[in-house]
Amino acid sequence: MYELFIALRHLTSRRRQTIFSVLAVGLAVMLLMWSQAVMVGFTDEMYSKTVDTMMPHVTVEPQEGEDYIHLYRNLIEDINKIDGVIGISPLLVGAATFEYKGKNKNVVMRGIRVEDHDSVMFINDNIIEGSFRDLEVSPNSVVVGDALAEKLDVEIGDTIDASFPEANPTNLKVVGIYNSRTPMDETLAFTSLSTVQDFLDVSNVVTTILVRGDDRERAQEISEEIDTLGYPASGWKETNPEIIQTLKIEGTSNAITLGLIIIIASFGIVSTLFMSVMEKTKEIGMLMAMGVSRRSIMRIFVMESSILGLLGGLLGVTLGAALALYMGSYDYGFEVMAGISSIPFVVRIQDAVIIVLFTFLINLIAGIYPASRASKLKPVEAIGRD
Amino acid sequence: MSEKYIIQIKNLTKIFGDGVEIKALDDVGLNIEQGEFMAIMGPSGSGKSTLLNQIGILDTPTSGTILLDGVDVTKMSDKQRSVTRNKQLGFIFQYHHLLPDFNALENVMMPLLINGVKRSEARKTASKMLEEVGLGDRMKHRPNQLSGGQNQRVAIARALVNKPSIVIGDEPTGNLDSKASDNIYELLRRLNREHNQTFILVTHDKRMAAKTDRTIQLVDGKICEDSRNGNDD
Ligand SMILES: Nc1ncnc2c1ncn2[C@@H]1O[C@H](COP(=O)(O)OP(=O)(O)OP(=O)(O)O)[C@@H](O)[C@H]1O
Ligand SMILES: [Mg+2]
């Protein structure tokens, strides 16, 4: 591999240009690596703030043409056997009008099994007064959102009248108030499964089953398995396509901008390479006279730009990762984002590898033009007249 | 008959032309035997360098053929040309054209490395070659740390290290004083005798030409004189 020997020597001989090129590419790559770490970090943070706490990973619905899932206990047993499932919550949902001392409000009543629902939706984390557990203890009780409580002007211990056309009117005692910091707080009320069953005058049915897996990325897998059990199931990505969409657009435009910066930095390499081809015209002619083929001349110069790209890529990724890790471990003492006081950088090996490969390839391609110019020189003309 | 000649040139014509056409070589015919030590002379612009570049397959003729060891070089692919240049030809120019980023030893190793010889073996062969040209103590010096004559000797070592059957030199001593130039001449002569390599040297130096076996005079792209010098041993 004498081509590599020559390429490396060229690079070490014009040390200043080499260092400058590597630094230019390295800085661009550093920016890309750093911002990728921010992107991944914030995305991750956002997922764990939304998908992991506020959304079920998988939602199972009644079979087509049905209003309810009838044999839900059997279905739950089958779902429980699926690998990776860590929580299953059957729900019976019904509309109702709540009335308290002349104030009324249309709400969605969600009948739950408290333990099960907490294993999927972590509702207990949101309770601010009373408790969800009391739903199971006293029949005809309800937990309302703080916004709803305010609208109806109810407190713990008050009794609300619940009614709806074709439903059995009933009284519900407020046993808890929750706050999930979402619009749900004004419209969603929790009761026990049996309370809603009595209200809707049905038995042994649910409208939905919510499932949580051990990893949100497995949602698709799990939902496909439930599909094979005969019930339509959808992962959180299907039920909330807008989340994925937003993140994707942001991530892509970010990557494009920074990719362009790397390409621009690589242009620097092309121009130094061009200069070196001009400088080395006689040398190239002499190499040809010594028996170096055009293909090998090409290879020498492409190697030079690729090596510069590789070094710049490695340097940039290292700097970017180091900077991200440093900034990520730093406690800013104030809230950077709701509830966190450090920036959630996530440095992923696969990002680093992809960025280095991308930089390497860009520079390899960038080197082709000056290299082909070098390889097309005519030996006599290159050596020139003495 | 043809096996006797290592170089056979027939009807070789080279025309340069950007608007005005210049016939640098005009229907040249020439046969050269293995082991000949010959000089090409002639006035400036007579086509000496052009002829040498043709023999060295550094350029393509307008018409005519050149056979090196019986093979027509005008029909070779780029790959074949490079291999032939590497294994069969050695070049020495007026200016040494050493690779500036490599030291003397590495410069001499280069044709071997290009030929695929292993690094360690190339180093051995190249240092022996450098010792032969009297530069055993300058192997780690780069061209800018050596004198003109020393660089020229490195260039000679490089031209000869692959044991090419043909060595061409375009005014190889043109940049040197007569003392250094005599030394180079003696060196080439000795190598020619020891290895029976063919040497074709362009020179303006009558004294030097007289010491070769054969001298060709070129005028206006034509050979006008081809004489044996009686220096054969
Ligand atoms: N690349 C070229 N383009 C156009 N004309 C050329 C080219 N190379 C050589 N010539 C012309 O061809 C003729 C022969 O040139 P050549 O270099 O072979 O002469 P030479 O005998 O080596 O002369 P000198 O002793 O000065 O080196 C000259 O008239 C020269 O101008
Ligand atoms: Mg000349």
Side-chain angles (χ1 to χ4, degrees):
Chain A
M1 254 334 223
Y2 69 92
E3 290 103 330
L4 184 62
F5 178 47
I6 295 175
L8 285 173
R9 184 60 60 87
H10 282 170
L11 293 177
T12 51
S13 293
R14 48 188 159 93
R15 193 166 307 147
R16 199 175 313 172
Q17 285 109 306
T18 299
I19 290 173
F20 194 77
S21 306
V22 169
L23 276 183
V25 173
L27 284 176
V29 170
M30 180 183 92
L31 229 81
L32 180 56
M33 186 68 209
W34 180 86
S35 88
Q36 183 63 18
V38 177
M39 273 301 298
V40 174
F42 272 106
T43 308
D44 222 54
E45 192 65 28
M46 210 190 105
Y47 279 145
S48 52
K49 291 247 153 185
T50 54
V51 181
D52 287 349
T53 58
M54 285 153 50
M55 283 173 199
H57 287 175
V58 178
T59 308
V60 188
E61 280 164 357
Q63 283 167 332
E64 213 171 308
E66 302 272 342
D67 289 334
Y68 300 108
I69 299 173
H70 290 282
L71 297 166
Y72 73 91
R73 286 196 183 83
N74 295 344
L75 181 57
I76 285 174
E77 260 173 48
D78 289 339
I79 293 174
N80 206 15
K81 287 182 198 135
I82 296 173
D83 220 25
V85 169
I86 58 166
I88 305 171
S89 169
L91 312 176
L92 184 60
V93 176
T97 305
F98 278 9
E99 189 187 340
Y100 181 72
K101 288 191 179 159
K103 291 181 181 142
N104 50 49
K105 183 99 182 71
N106 285 332
V107 302
V108 173
M109 269 212 293
R110 182 183 281 189
I112 58 170
R113 291 177 183 168
V114 175
E115 287 277 309
D116 289 345
H117 202 56
D118 189 52
S119 74
V120 176
M121 304 296 287
F122 309 118
I123 43 171
N124 283 334
D125 295 347
N126 294 334
I127 199 84
I128 52 177
E129 238 185 296
S131 93
F132 274 103
R133 218 153 304 121
D134 291 345
L135 291 179
E136 308 271 25
V137 181
S138 46
N140 289 347
S141 54
V142 67
V143 173
V144 294
D146 57 351
L148 182 57
E150 211 169 292
K151 277 262 153 72
L152 293 173
D153 205 7
V154 294
E155 286 174 17
I156 300 261
D158 292 340
T159 302
I160 297 172
D161 294 327
S163 63
F164 207 68
E166 287 170 45
N168 303 324
T170 181
N171 298 325
L172 299 172
K173 190 171 142 211
V174 178
V175 295
I177 295 175
Y178 74 91
N179 174 12
S180 67
R181 297 194 207 89
T182 67
M184 297 285 182
D185 297 355
E186 205 181 312
T187 55
L188 186 63
F190 290 93
T191 70
S192 69
L193 201 52
S194 58
T195 305
V196 182
Q197 281 173 348
D198 289 345
F199 183 69
L200 295 178
D201 206 7
V202 293
S203 55
N204 281 325
V205 297
V206 296
T207 38
T208 314
I209 295 173
L210 304 183
V211 180
R212 172 165 298 271
D214 52 2
D215 178 353
R216 62 172 178 264
E217 293 306 325
R218 275 177 82 167
Q220 201 52 37
E221 222 177 285
I222 292 171
S223 86
E224 274 163 22
E225 291 213 36
I226 296 172
D227 275 336
T228 65
L229 295 175
Y231 287 86
S234 34
W236 60 271
K237 289 186 187 177
E238 291 170 69
T239 21
N240 303 278
E242 65 287 348
I243 293 189
I244 304 295
Q245 210 56 30
T246 324
L247 289 175
K248 211 168 246 167
I249 289 168
E250 238 169 85
T252 312
S253 68
N254 195 42
I256 288 175
T257 315
L258 290 153
L260 281 176
I261 295 178
I262 291 183
I263 290 172
I264 290 166
S266 305
F267 269 113
I269 287 186
V270 177
S271 76
T272 43
L273 209 58
F274 255 119
M275 265 160 49
S276 125
V277 168
M278 311 264 254
E279 251 170 51
K280 294 194 180 304
T281 305
K282 275 183 195 292
E283 211 182 313
I284 293 164
M286 200 53 224
L287 283 170
M288 286 173 164
M290 280 193 271
V292 178
S293 64
R294 292 182 187 283
R295 183 187 280 261
S296 291
I297 295 281
M298 176 107 186
R299 214 175 278 156
I300 289 169
F301 285 93
V302 169
M303 273 179 187
E304 288 183 30
S305 69
S306 315
I307 290 168
L308 290 174
L310 191 64
L311 290 178
L314 290 173
L315 175 77
V317 159
T318 310
L319 289 180
L323 186 67
L325 291 175
Y326 172 74
M327 288 177 74
S329 66
Y330 191 79
D331 192 329
Y332 290 86
F334 57 87
E335 287 203 354
V336 180
M337 219 170 86
I340 37 169
S341 61
S342 62
I343 301 175
F345 287 95
V346 173
V347 174
R348 295 188 305 190
I349 297 290
Q350 71 256 43
D351 291 335
V353 171
I354 288 172
I355 291 172
V356 170
L357 277 181
F358 171 73
T359 314
F360 172 76
L361 277 179
I362 287 291
N363 281 282
L364 189 149
I365 292 165
I368 288 176
Y369 186 48
S372 82
R373 283 288 285 268
S375 77
K376 291 205 175 83
L377 290 171
K378 291 194 177 140
V380 225
E381 286 168 17
I383 295 170
R385 332 210 77 204
D386 292 316
Chain B
M1 185 70 182
S2 71
E3 281 141 37
K4 195 176 154 201
Y5 299 115
I6 186 150
I7 303 170
Q8 287 176 282
I9 296 170
K10 285 182 210 139
N11 310 106
L12 188 68
T13 298
K14 177 71 184 180
I15 298 169
F16 291 106
D18 274 338
V20 192
E21 288 197 344
I22 298 163
K23 221 174 212 178
L25 292 176
D26 188 0
D27 200 26
V28 170
L30 181 64
N31 291 326
I32 301 170
E33 288 171 37
Q34 170 83 49
E36 268 193 286
F37 194 80
M38 64 179 290
I40 299 177
M41 296 195 73
S44 181
S46 57
K48 306 183 293 296
S49 297
T50 307
L51 178 58
L52 225 50
N53 290 337
Q54 296 292 334
I55 296 172
I57 25 178
L58 293 174
D59 202 1
T60 47
T62 307
S63 64
T65 55
I66 304 166
L67 306 185
L68 295 188
D69 238 351
V71 184
D72 187 352
V73 301
T74 56
K75 296 203 170 71
M76 283 181 174
S77 69
D78 180 59
K79 180 80 198 155
Q80 288 171 305
R81 283 160 180 269
S82 346
V83 171
T84 308
R85 281 188 212 124
N86 178 249
K87 295 193 176 167
Q88 268 180 273
L89 292 158
F91 297 85
I92 311 165
F93 295 93
Q94 180 174 357
Y95 181 70
H96 58 77
H97 290 316
L98 294 173
L99 307 177
D101 304 325
F102 294 83
N103 65 32
L105 182 62
E106 291 164 338
N107 263 288
V108 179
M109 284 165 70
M110 205 53 82
L112 296 165
L113 297 178
I114 292 166
N115 191 13
V117 176
K118 272 207 310 232
R119 188 80 72 98
S120 55
E121 204 176 306
R123 187 171 294 122
K124 236 183 276 166
T125 313
S127 42
K128 222 181 282 165
M129 199 68 225
L130 273 172
E131 268 157 26
E132 233 179 302
V133 300
L135 286 173
D137 55 344
R138 292 285 192 281
M139 302 211 202
K140 298 284 155 152
H141 289 58
R142 288 204 178 181
N144 62 4
Q145 299 166 317
L146 294 170
S147 75
Q150 287 171 330
N151 275 329
Q152 201 60 345
R153 279 188 278 161
V154 177
I156 290 167
R158 178 178 66 178
L160 299 171
V161 74
N162 247 347
K163 302 271 176 286
S165 45
I166 303 161
V167 179
I168 60 180
D170 197 346
E171 303 181 47
T173 60
N175 269 338
L176 305 176
D177 61 33
S178 59
K179 176 86 173 47
S181 149
D182 282 348
N183 284 339
I184 297 278
Y185 170 80
E186 293 303 332
L187 173 64
L188 295 179
R189 193 52 160 163
R190 179 164 58 82
L191 293 167
N192 158 253
R193 293 214 168 103
E194 281 170 13
H195 305 294
N196 197 35
Q197 287 159 305
T198 310
F199 279 74
I200 308 165
L201 308 173
V202 166
T203 179
H204 285 291
D205 185 346
K206 287 204 175 61
R207 217 167 39 89
M208 187 161 147
K211 290 196 271 187
T212 60
D213 303 337
R214 179 183 177 189
T215 304
I216 284 169
Q217 291 283 346
L218 269 183
V219 174
D220 289 338
K222 287 187 164 85
I223 296 177
C224 69
E225 200 185 316
D226 185 349
S227 59
R228 301 269 155 190
N229 300 333
N231 281 315
D232 285 304
D233 295 15

